[in-house]
Amino acid sequence: MLKKSLLGKDYNNELNLDNGSKSPSKSSSSNSSSSLTPENAPPAEEDNALSLLQTLVHLLKCNVGTGLLGLPLAIKNAGLLVGPISLLAIGILTVHCMVILLNCAHHLSQRLQTTFVNYGEATMYSLETCPSPWLRSHSVWGRYTVSFLVIITQLGFCSVYFMFMADNLQQIVEEVHVTSNTCQPRKFLVLTPILDIRIYMLTILPFLIMLVFIRNLKVLSVFSTMANITTLGSMILIFEYIIQDIPDPSNLPLMANWKTFLPFFGTAIFTFEGVGMVLPLKNQMKNPQHFPLVLYVGMSLVIFLYSCLGILGYMKFGSDTQASITLNLPTCWLYQSVKLMYSVGIFFTYALQFHVPAEIIIPFAVSQVPENWALFVDLSVRTALVCLTCVSAILIPHLDLVISLVGSVCSSALALIIPPLLEIITFYSEDISCATIAKDIMISILGFLGCIFGTYQAFYELTQPINHSMANSTGVYMHHFLFLF
């Protein structure tokens, strides 16, 4: 018996790229392949299925990442009034697009009489029935495009997590001799780090490799709960500090310059990073029909948390707001623990973000080898992918902007551009209303503009190495500063 994959399905029920070009009718009638195509993949087995609470825990952890810490700066870039309104609007649009994706996948699974289709399959099967002959003949590229975007986006998040954890560990270790029990506002002192940041990344590497060897989401939910607890603890300490003695916000601009609004859009899109987990989580539930409730409750909590942290953080620190809100916290043991707790949360979140590209790549790799090599290939690919994210974090200069660029292109496409277009294609032959078509086109255009703006801003800041070294849009800390009270 083959080992279970992370989604709890047998490998011979997993993704088979060789059969990706077949239509549903051809796939169901063909007996030449030894592997079942993914449209026939069964849902999670009862003993591995997720409960409502476990699904909610996973959903929260997939959306609360490093981007959260950069929201005060994002609000600063947009303005005290425009920022929160825009963040709420982007959050609502993102959730709406998640619901669109769920509806399209459910409709296609009923049309094909299957139990589950993933994001890429939904795109491919929709294109197979669209009016354009060219799109029908190239429908498989819809699946490949989505899979590629998902892989790049999720591995990009993982690379950001690597640098985030390494920078936090570096700060904690190298600030030990200046950390005290008295919490006072920070002052800056230029100082060369004791150890290169790459040493800290290599230190973290083996622990992350062992973590991603956990291939079942139900087991991983225990660690996800721990991540939620540590993240909650750090958030409580951050809020406890920023709500004290908030200055009069009347001197803060309600609307910032339009040029500074560009990085706000990229940060906001980057922050809502859980679109790749929506369909896998639904498929893994004991009662998938309850997933919309989980989605609305979970994302409402996420949007509320984002808004509160962004607004209060900007009101507290004003023009001194840094790229990560932790850069504004005092240098004392209490607030050093915030970095440690948040890093622990990000450590476990890494496995959740990692499993999405792993579930695309590993089944294909396993299908190419004999059954007795399946486990070895599985673990080898997982190890290689973790090492790839580590090498990317080590070798690529200004990784935060590179990942911001990837996020602007890939995340905007996955979260805002493709789902509305998918709804039009899926329901085009079933009397979709003109209002729905107009709404979907407007959302896709907005996502496309966000993609263009985010890409432009990332390229612009890549040409400004001096300014960029002082700020990091993903919450990664400055390497050449040691903070003294």
Side-chain angles (χ1 to χ4, degrees):
M1 175 67 68
L2 293 176
K3 296 289 185 181
K4 302 283 184 176
S5 72
L6 193 60
L7 287 180
K9 296 176 284 188
D10 291 340
Y11 281 126
N12 38 326
N13 289 330
E14 286 287 355
L15 181 60
N16 187 343
L17 294 179
D18 292 336
N19 295 332
S21 60
K22 295 180 180 181
S23 66
S25 58
K26 290 181 181 179
S27 298
S28 61
S29 61
S30 173
N31 295 322
S32 60
S33 174
S34 60
S35 299
L36 293 176
T37 52
E39 63 267 18
N40 294 323
E45 295 181 2
E46 187 65 26
D47 57 342
N48 289 325
L50 298 175
S51 66
L52 258 166
L53 182 59
Q54 289 171 328
T55 306
L56 179 62
V57 166
H58 281 306
L59 183 66
L60 291 175
K61 274 314 303 157
C62 289
N63 284 278
V64 179
T66 56
L68 173 66
L69 300 180
L71 285 176
L73 182 63
I75 299 296
K76 174 186 174 183
N77 287 332
L80 190 59
L81 176 63
V82 175
I85 293 176
S86 301
L87 182 64
L88 177 62
I90 292 174
I92 292 174
L93 284 179
T94 303
V95 175
H96 178 66
C97 288
M98 290 179 179
V99 174
I100 288 176
L101 182 59
L102 289 171
N103 292 338
C104 291
H106 178 70
H107 181 81
L108 288 168
S109 64
Q110 287 187 326
R111 179 192 298 175
L112 301 171
Q113 297 182 346
T114 63
T115 55
F116 173 73
V117 292
N118 61 35
Y119 199 162
E121 293 160 2
T123 305
M124 180 180 69
Y125 295 143
S126 291
L127 291 175
E128 286 182 350
T129 60
C130 73
S132 171
W134 187 88
L135 288 177
R136 289 199 301 269
S137 62
H138 295 81
S139 60
V140 69
W141 287 102
R143 179 185 185 181
Y144 294 157
T145 299
V146 169
S147 297
F148 175 77
L149 291 173
V150 168
I151 290 171
I152 296 299
T153 301
Q154 299 301 123
L155 291 182
F157 290 149
C158 291
S159 295
V160 173
Y161 291 174
F162 238 115
M163 183 173 284
F164 181 87
M165 290 183 288
D167 279 319
N168 275 272
L169 181 61
Q170 183 187 48
Q171 262 202 347
I172 292 171
V173 171
E174 297 184 3
E175 287 184 355
V176 167
H177 67 287
V178 294
T179 303
S180 69
N181 294 324
T182 304
C183 298
Q184 299 292 336
R186 287 177 178 267
K187 295 180 180 179
F188 298 102
L189 177 66
V190 178
L191 191 65
T192 302
I194 300 172
L195 291 178
D196 192 281
I197 188 66
R198 291 169 289 188
I199 302 298
Y200 293 95
M201 293 182 185
L202 294 175
T203 301
I204 298 170
L205 178 61
F207 297 99
L208 282 176
I209 291 176
M210 289 187 291
L211 179 66
V212 300
F213 281 175
I214 301 174
R215 295 170 294 150
N216 186 283
L217 273 178
K218 189 172 183 179
V219 176
L220 200 60
S221 66
V222 177
F223 296 103
S224 184
T225 302
M226 294 172 57
N228 275 334
I229 293 173
T230 57
T231 302
L232 178 62
S234 63
M235 285 294 101
I236 290 174
L237 289 177
I238 290 175
F239 275 105
E240 181 270 336
Y241 180 73
I242 63 177
I243 63 175
Q244 298 180 29
D245 303 321
I246 296 178
D248 183 6
S250 59
N251 61 333
L252 299 177
L254 299 180
M255 178 184 299
N257 188 287
W258 70 269
K259 292 182 179 179
T260 62
F261 186 81
L262 301 182
F264 163 81
F265 198 102
T267 301
I269 293 295
F270 178 86
T271 304
F272 292 98
E273 53 190 75
V275 64
M277 285 291 294
V278 170
L279 291 178
L281 282 176
K282 178 186 177 183
N283 187 47
Q284 193 67 12
M285 287 186 68
K286 292 180 181 178
N287 300 298
Q289 67 273 17
H290 295 157
F291 184 75
L293 173 63
V294 176
L295 180 65
Y296 285 124
V297 172
M299 294 307 297
S300 295
L301 292 175
V302 168
I303 294 173
F304 179 75
L305 175 64
Y306 287 177
S307 300
C308 289
L309 184 64
I311 296 170
L312 293 176
Y314 178 42
M315 290 173 60
K316 173 70 174 181
F317 303 113
S319 60
D320 296 326
T321 303
Q322 300 294 321
S324 169
I325 192 172
T326 52
L327 295 177
N328 292 107
L329 297 180
T331 304
C332 61
W333 291 113
L334 177 63
Y335 293 109
Q336 288 289 62
S337 67
V338 172
K339 302 174 189 175
L340 179 61
M341 288 190 294
Y342 209 94
S343 295
V344 171
I346 292 299
F347 177 82
F348 292 118
T349 305
Y350 181 101
L352 290 172
Q353 298 290 2
F354 176 87
H355 106 276
V356 178
E359 283 302 309
I360 298 174
I361 298 172
I362 291 176
F364 173 69
V366 168
S367 67
Q368 308 302 309
V369 299
E371 183 175 329
N372 57 332
W373 283 86
L375 180 60
F376 174 78
V377 171
D378 181 309
L379 300 181
S380 298
V381 172
R382 291 178 186 275
T383 302
L385 290 176
V386 176
C387 291
L388 176 62
T389 61
C390 180
V391 170
S392 299
I394 290 174
L395 296 182
I396 301 177
H398 304 312
L399 181 64
D400 59 314
L401 285 183
V402 176
I403 297 304
S404 179
L405 174 63
V406 173
S408 295
V409 176
C410 299
S411 297
S412 294
L414 291 172
L416 294 178
I417 299 176
I418 296 179
L421 298 179
L422 186 63
E423 183 176 41
I424 295 175
I425 297 172
T426 302
F427 297 100
Y428 181 81
S429 60
E430 302 184 20
D431 298 326
I432 185 173
S433 68
C434 294
T436 301
I437 294 176
K439 177 261 298 181
D440 289 340
I441 292 176
M442 290 180 62
I443 294 176
S444 292
I445 291 175
L446 178 63
F448 180 75
L449 292 176
C451 173
I452 297 299
F453 290 157
T455 302
Y456 165 80
Q457 184 65 25
F459 275 122
Y460 174 78
E461 292 197 19
L462 280 170
T463 64
Q464 310 292 322
I466 296 178
N467 292 335
H468 172 63
S469 66
M470 298 294 295
N472 189 320
S473 62
T474 60
V476 180
Y477 296 106
M478 294 180 285
H479 294 178
H480 306 293
F481 286 82
L482 187 64
F483 300 103
L484 299 179
F485 61 95

